[in-house]
Amino acid sequence: MNILGISAYYHDSAAALLCSGVVVSAAQEERFTRKKHDERFPGNAIEFCLSANKIGAQQLDSIVFYDKPILKFERLLDTYLSYAPRGFGSFVRAMPVWLKEKLYLKKTLKRELSAIMKCCEEELPPILFSEHHESHAASAFYPSPFEAAAVLCLDGVGEWATTSAWFGEGGELKSLWQIDFPHSLGLLYSAFTYYLGFKVNSGEYKLMGLAPYGRPSYVDMIFDNLIDVKPDGSFRLNLKYFDYCTGLRMTNQRFSDLFGEAPRMPEMVPTQREMDLAASIQVVTEEIVLKLARSLRRETGAESLCMAGGVALNCVANGRLLREKIFSDIWIQPAAGDAGGALGAAYAAYHRYRGQPRQRLQRTDQMRGALLGPQYDESTVLESLDAMQASYEILSDEELYPRVAALLASEKVVGWFQNRMEFGPRALGARSILADPRSTTMQSQLNLKIKFRESFRPFAPAVMQERVGEYFDLNLASPYMLLVAQVKEQLQMQPEKLASGLAQLNQVRSVIPAVTHVDYSARVQTVSEEQNPQFYRLLNEFNQQTGCPVLVNTSFNVRGEPIVCTPEDAFKCFMGTDMDYLVIGNVMLSKEHQRVDAVDRKKGALALD
């Protein structure tokens, strides 16, 4: 049985294909169109999923969309009527799109799908619709390694739900309760993202990265004024401080008055006050997540927890949840945002609608290391590079790995393009930029000369899975870079001078300073030989040469650009940065041997994000 899942028309559109209940392909549309967070119909992603598996309309049993547009329209109308006449301008802007396209989504989907599959609309299989949080819950539970688990979904908003609890066992997934719009933990976090000058639905991870520079001195003010949290974790926002129900802004003048200033202008250097606000909303978020988790543990008696929704990408909160030991084990969907909704919708159709039993793998999840996207053979790589007049050499495995490890050990920065492209927001060693974590200058070098992004943002370590306990306070696998843990105390170093704010940036804090944040934390990725053999082999070779089984791993892109998808994307990005080397499969390119005018791309960020 083959089921195609689709998410689209809000942000991060994607497609995923299940064959006999197993995910075989998944990809986000942005990787093909090169438009970050592309929300349009994911025609390229669908085409990839079907062609890679040689499946046409006749071989598909169902197509399923990740939310229900009629329910979402009902929520919009209800909200506009509740606040009328406020929000009239927003209402007028939103309605044409709804009346033209979104209300008749099945018709739109049929038209788009029949064009891609080169068939009549009548030849398409049935199109189903899953609820938004049902898709999130299914994406969290069904591919997890657990037979039974509690499931917690947290995001901005779907149709109505913003927070939902579920219990999964075998092929069953039971809804327990939900908190509805406008009361939303995701929108509260996004309100602070907006207020601190970052882009909503994009800059939340910047806010998370800024938080360790601050002190949580506004926590009481937030709890006293913005949100009422009950002992069981349920909450209500004080909507007097927010504008998202009636307009295009997240916060209003009353919010600015509460915190003493207007929203920060984008690109201004963050002040200590703004760092303190970031630290405060991070603490508030963690406290609420912990309360919700404790309630869910008591209610279900489950030993394990699965999570999805955009808030589940808050790896600092996830790490705190792990340390509190409320559940014995935690699994988080690597594509926890709306892109993963495509996969969840397909799982929901397979198990809940089609009644198919669940196939659970022993001791591991079904996500295949999230390596579910396109892969390119060497002849295709060479064809692309030749077309761009690139200079390269082809190495055997025996030559390649020692050479790349030696380059990294000499503080060269390497673009690493291997295997199938990752599904989800993280680069996990298939489309990555790699560097030496022992370097004291690498963090600033990568931010300013390679990624062209804010100087305060930290970089993540990738570590051989069996060595993670030597470097971090973490005793389980973190293959998707969704858990934050402290660097081991014995590896930490105290800065000679006390500093605050961004002055902490260039202080050396451990033996792996390039991946140690100012609070000694790190967003850890563990790498196993089974899930990612090429990346594991490189880590192992670097360890043999240096005694360090850790590398800096950051996504292969620059600011404002989606992670690279094709060899051509990789070469263009390589030429637009100060990266030293690029490795695509067994093909190695050195920057000094390339023509400066090889690609029509200036050095620097592509856009603000």
Side-chain angles (χ1 to χ4, degrees), residues 519-539:
D519 59 352
Y520 298 96
S521 67
R523 179 160 46 91
V524 180
Q525 179 198 1
T526 58
V527 182
S528 71
E529 191 169 11
E530 296 75 25
Q531 284 192 324
N532 195 334
Q534 294 92 343
F535 194 24
Y536 181 88
R537 184 170 178 178
L538 180 60
L539 281 162

Side-chain angles (χ1 to χ4, degrees), residues 346-397:
Y347 272 118
Y350 185 76
H351 295 293
R352 304 192 82 198
Y353 179 75
R354 294 277 183 174
Q356 294 296 309
R358 184 173 173 227
Q359 298 175 24
R360 195 167 64 86
L361 302 177
Q362 291 295 321
R363 296 185 303 167
T364 186
D365 63 52
Q366 288 193 18
M367 290 299 294
R368 302 170 182 241
L371 304 181
L372 297 165
Q375 185 171 17
Y376 300 88
D377 59 28
E378 191 167 285
S379 62
T380 305
V381 171
L382 298 183
E383 190 178 327
S384 294
L385 294 178
D386 288 340
M388 294 182 288
Q389 301 181 19
S391 175
Y392 56 81
E393 57 183 320
I394 302 172
L395 304 176
S396 67
D397 282 354

